Amino acid sequence: MMNNPKTVDQQKADAFLEEFVGEIGKAYGSEIDFILLFGSAARGEFVLGKSDVDLIIQVKSDAVVRSVEQFAEQLFWQLDEKHGMQFKRVVSTGKGGSLLEDALKLLEKQARLYKPFEVFGPDDIDWRSGKIKRLDLLPGATLVASQLTLFYKMKHEGKILFGRDIRPEIKPRFTWWEKLKAIWVPQSIAFASIILALLLPQKAVGYAVKALFYEVDSVNIIQRGMIPPGQEKMASFAEASQFDERILDDVRFFLEKKLGLLSEQKMQLLRRAAQIKREGFCGGRMEALYFSLTAFGAIWQTNAVVILKAGAGL
C-alpha cells in the first residue's frame, strides 16, 4: 500500500524542522544527545496556523541546558518568520491578540501546553522507567500530567531528528494512577473550553478539539494498550462505553440514546472535530459553547464507563 503524499503544510513543517535541527546541530552538535519529535508533525498531520510542534532536546551536560534553550528560542522565532509557520498564533510562547489571550498563553506555558520544545539535561528523565525527574516539572508530572500518554507517543509515534535513538529505551508506565491521569487531562481541557466559550470562542473550540483527540488516544491506550491507526482508533473510542453483559449494555444504550451519545453520534463529533482541526472554526459564541459542552459530555460519559469497567474488572 502506498503512503499518502505529504501535504503542503507538512512539507513546510519538515523544511522548518530540518533547518531548526540543522542549526542547533551546527552550534551544539557535540553537546546534543538527541532531538526527538512527536505529535502531529511526526505523524504527518501538521496543519499550518493550527498545529504546533513537540520537540524534546536532550543535552549531554546540565551546564549547557540554559544556553541551548536560549539559542533554540531565538532560532525558533527567526525560522518561524522565515518559513511563515504562523506559530505565534498557536504556541504558548507566542503572543496573543489581547490581554486575555496573553494571560491564557502564560497559563498554557506554565502547564507546558502548546510549548514547542523542552531542553532536558542528561538526568532529567528516567526513560527506562517512564518518569520525568526534573524538579520544576516533577509536581505537575506526578500529580497532573499523563506521563503514560506522553511516553507512549514518544516511543511509538516519535521520530529522531538528531543523535541517538532513545525510543527502544522508553518504557511507558501502565499504572492505575497514570491511566487515571490519562483520561483526567482531556476532561479538564474540555471543561476549560466551556468556561472560555463565550469569551474566546475560537480558542475554546480549539481546546475542545484537542481534548477530544487526547481522549481518543487515552481511551485506546487504557483499554487496548495501544493507539491503532486512523478510523480504527476513533471507532474504538466511540464504542468504548459498550458492555459485554446484555443487561448493562441495554441500560447503557438507553442512557446514551437519551443523551445523544450513541457510537455513531460520537463518530460524527470526531469527524466535526477533525474538520475544525483542518479548516478552523468560524462559528459564534453559542455554537462554540454547544460544541464545548458536547465534547465535555462525550468525554465525561466515556471516562465514567472506563472507570466503572476498570473497577469492576469488566
Side-chain angles (χ1 to χ4, degrees):
M1 182 181 295
M2 293 181 63
N3 293 327
N4 292 328
K6 289 184 179 180
T7 64
V8 173
D9 288 358
Q10 183 64 45
Q11 291 174 5
K12 286 178 71 71
D14 290 346
F16 169 89
L17 288 166
E18 183 178 0
E19 187 166 0
F20 180 72
V21 171
E23 291 299 320
I24 292 176
K26 288 179 185 177
Y28 291 95
S30 62
E31 300 287 351
I32 303 296
D33 189 357
F34 61 84
I35 300 177
L36 182 146
L37 171 73
F38 63 103
S40 59
R43 296 191 301 268
E45 300 171 0
F46 184 87
V47 180
L48 191 66
K50 298 176 181 64
S51 298
D52 59 349
V53 289
D54 300 286
L55 290 159
I56 297 293
I57 303 172
Q58 180 161 301
V59 296
K60 298 176 182 178
S61 168
D62 290 326
V64 298
V65 168
R66 184 59 181 155
S67 61
V68 170
E69 190 170 52
Q70 290 175 334
F71 179 85
E73 180 79 13
Q74 184 177 13
L75 176 65
F76 184 88
W77 292 117
Q78 288 175 350
L79 296 181
D80 172 58
E81 185 172 349
K82 175 181 176 180
H83 290 269
M85 299 305 298
Q86 304 179 34
F87 283 132
K88 288 183 179 179
R89 297 172 49 187
V90 182
V91 305
S92 58
T93 50
K95 293 292 184 181
S98 66
L99 289 175
L100 179 57
E101 289 179 328
D102 285 342
L104 192 60
K105 280 184 176 289
L106 180 61
L107 291 174
E108 291 172 348
K109 183 178 179 181
Q110 294 301 315
R112 263 57 185 189
L113 189 64
Y114 301 111
K115 195 167 186 284
F117 63 85
E118 198 80 57
V119 181
F120 289 101
D123 301 314
D124 288 340
I125 299 178
D126 184 343
W127 295 99
R128 293 185 182 277
S129 300
K131 294 181 182 179
I132 295 174
K133 297 170 60 181
R134 202 170 81 185
L135 291 179
D136 64 322
L137 298 179
L138 192 58
T142 303
L143 299 174
V144 180
S146 170
Q147 296 185 78
L148 168 59
T149 307
L150 179 67
F151 281 104
Y152 182 94
K153 288 185 175 183
M154 287 191 286
K155 180 178 182 67
H156 295 285
E157 298 181 357
K159 291 185 175 182
I160 297 297
L161 304 184
F162 185 94
R164 71 184 176 106
D165 191 351
I166 191 65
R167 292 172 298 179
E169 298 182 28
I170 299 175
K171 304 294 182 183
R173 291 188 298 157
F174 283 79
T175 64
W176 70 267
W177 178 240
E178 287 299 329
K179 289 180 179 181
L180 185 62
K181 287 190 295 178
I183 57 176
W184 181 84
V185 168
Q187 185 169 305
S188 301
I189 296 174
F191 181 74
S193 76
I194 296 172
I195 297 174
L196 287 171
L198 298 180
L199 298 172
L200 298 170
Q202 289 188 334
K203 175 66 76 172
V205 171
Y207 275 11
V209 168
K210 182 171 281 289
L212 280 168
F213 286 112
Y214 273 6
E215 177 75 0
V216 168
D217 288 348
S218 296
V219 168
N220 273 282
I221 289 174
I222 291 170
Q223 293 204 331
R224 304 180 62 177
M226 60 175 292
I227 301 178
Q231 286 292 115
E232 185 182 346
K233 73 176 178 181
M234 294 199 293
S236 181
F237 160 75
E239 298 166 1
S241 58
Q242 296 179 7
F243 291 95
D244 292 333
E245 287 75 8
R246 178 66 181 272
I247 294 176
L248 287 174
D249 202 51
D250 285 345
V251 173
R252 183 273 313 171
F253 181 85
F254 175 78
L255 293 174
E256 288 186 357
K257 187 175 182 180
K258 292 293 184 183
L259 294 171
L261 293 173
L262 293 172
S263 296
E264 180 53 34
Q265 291 166 318
K266 288 181 181 178
M267 287 295 291
Q268 290 174 1
L269 178 62
L270 291 175
R271 286 192 284 267
R272 172 64 175 145
Q275 180 186 22
I276 292 172
K277 189 175 181 180
R278 292 191 307 270
E279 303 172 7
F281 175 74
C282 300
R285 287 177 169 82
M286 295 310 297
E287 187 178 348
L289 179 60
Y290 177 78
F291 183 85
S292 297
L293 285 167
T294 304
F296 178 80
I299 291 170
W300 185 91
Q301 181 261 355
T302 303
N303 286 349
V305 175
V306 167
I307 292 172
L308 178 62
K309 283 182 175 181
L314 298 174

